[in-house]
Amino acid sequence: MKPSILSCAALLAVAPSLLAAAEVTKGHRPSDFGFKLDPVLPPAINDAAAKATFSIIDGEKDGNSPDLAVLKDGKVPTGEDQPAANFFFGGDGGRIGVDLGDVISVKSVASYSWHGENRGPQVYKLYAADGKAEGFNATPKKGTDPKSVGWTLLAEVDTRPRTGNGGGQHGAEIANRGGKPLGDYRHLLFDVSKTSERGFANTFFSEIDVIDAKQSDLQRIKPIEKIVKNYRSKDGKFRYTIDSTKAPALTEWSEKELLPVIEEWYPKLVAMMPSDGYRAPDQVLFEYRDDMGGTPAYAIGNRIALSAPWYKGQLTNEAKGCAVHEMGHVVQNYWRARQTNRNPKDTPGWVTEGICDYIRWFLYEPQSRGAHVRDVRQAKYDASYRTTANFLDWVIKEKDKDLLKKLNAAAREGRYEEKLWKDWTGLTVQELGEEWKKAVADGKR
Ligand SMILES: [Zn+2]
């Protein structure tokens, strides 16, 4: 039985005895938000499960999973792949027992999970017992039908979507329609299945709640609210969005310090890198993320991802310059060549990155001398980033003041090739590289 909410309710009216008695309400949303799973309420902090004893009745926890206590700590993960903040089985699912310590009037049960792929959705059967039935077995293993040893099936939960792997946040709430308590129970049994036969498919369970019908001081976690600010350039041409949901502490800095840099430099970048028939994106989105590992920032299309932890440590150092570099990529848009040119030539990465670092270090913040070449052995024109930036600055100053425009247009149109350097300057890129290297050795760069 994998009914949707509605079909479950409809069937109940006809044949209640054949089905689990309670209604399952599901909430699901993509991974970028904090457990706001309407209509399922956010996880509770001080519910009856917080004091209960959780145990593994069958199966084994995954070697990377913490103990079951993580299911009742009233805390949820802050990212989609946080093994330490979720309980998950290894192998083929398992059974979790919850002993509430005493018989209580159980109003509802809820489970929460989060993962970007197969481990997101939940598939389990929920049984309950007061423990008083004759022959009651509190720890029935997988081969035993709990119904045969004193348990009642309350619900079958399956939050998998019809299509896709179901990545994202999931919540399932088991309650009676109309709010009547589920019953008087002391024990709960979660008979958990994998969500798929393929890949890692044991659910990342984040929290399990048991709500006591008599509890009056229930507290729930506050779902994270999005912090998204939209700005329009004074001339109305460009729109900028800054999403600091994952870095609330950077909201003010972003508006006071970063936005002025964006407003000054994005139009400048657009103006300094034109090409025939090209219109740069008129909207740029900046989003702080907390899952980028060691990468400070990157740009895809007109979206710029900024690493929140890296930014917090670089506010007075590299933070703004890094954003200028990424805005350079938004304007470059070199993938466009694949749509506009039948036989596009790939632009080497050192050219793409060198251009953005040239703009950053020599036009935006020359005073920082961030692209000064200290060691002549590193002076390779195609060493990318700062080193190539230094090379480009030298070629522009010494050989061709229009080089940036020409180089950018060639790259965007998919017609970059080495011989262009000779066309533009009379020297091959290797010859230019050697001459520049001498300037570096002479301490002129
Ligand atoms: Zn870059």
Side-chain angles (χ1 to χ4, degrees), residues 325-326 329 353 385:
H325 175 107
E326 298 306 328
H329 287 316
E353 296 300 343
Y385 292 103

Side-chain angles (χ1 to χ4, degrees), residues 379-392:
K380 298 192 181 80
Y381 68 89
D382 58 355
S384 197
Y385 292 103
R386 297 175 193 222
T387 313
T388 296
N390 190 303
F391 169 70
L392 292 177

